[in-house]
Amino acid sequence: MKKLFLNFFCTSLFLIFLSLTHVNADELFNKGKEVFLGTGNCAACHMLSDAGSNAMVGPNLNEIRPDIQRIIMAVRNGIGVMPAMEGILTDDEIEAVAHYTSIAAEQ
């Protein structure tokens, strides 16, 4: 009986942990979308269906589907005509927009 209770307890804690992790991931996704559409001004140049942006100045993110590290590097340092956003966006905002974009581009 004690072993059964312990298994149930551990499983319950694990499920709670998973649900909290999922909530945090959704919050990061939502924050990234806000940055993409707002302070990052990414939608002015990039097409991304999830954001409802149709701009064609920069690459179409739906087509190139960049991974998170590529996005972080591009946003921080700039690339081509894209300006560096380091110092304009916080590290948290850069990570959030990279998280959002990498997931949204895969949809």
Side-chain angles (χ1 to χ4, degrees), residues 9-95:
F9 182 74
C10 289
T11 302
S12 297
L13 283 178
F14 180 71
L15 291 174
I16 291 169
F17 172 76
L18 285 178
S19 69
L20 291 175
T21 304
H22 180 70
V23 168
N24 289 338
D26 287 346
E27 288 173 10
L28 189 59
F29 182 87
N30 292 336
K31 180 179 178 180
K33 187 171 186 174
E34 288 175 19
V35 173
F36 190 93
L37 293 169
T39 52
N41 203 26
C42 310
C45 296
H46 294 284
M47 180 179 282
L48 185 60
S49 296
D50 184 81
S53 59
N54 297 318
M56 296 297 286
V57 175
N60 180 335
L61 299 172
N62 297 310
E63 289 179 1
I64 67 169
R65 296 182 176 167
D67 65 51
I68 197 165
Q69 291 304 316
R70 183 175 176 190
I71 299 165
I72 288 172
M73 291 297 291
V75 173
R76 254 199 196 114
N77 305 313
I79 187 169
V81 298
M82 180 177 159
M85 299 301 282
E86 189 169 41
I88 297 170
L89 297 177
T90 67
D91 286 342
D92 287 344
E93 289 173 323
I94 291 171
E95 290 172 19

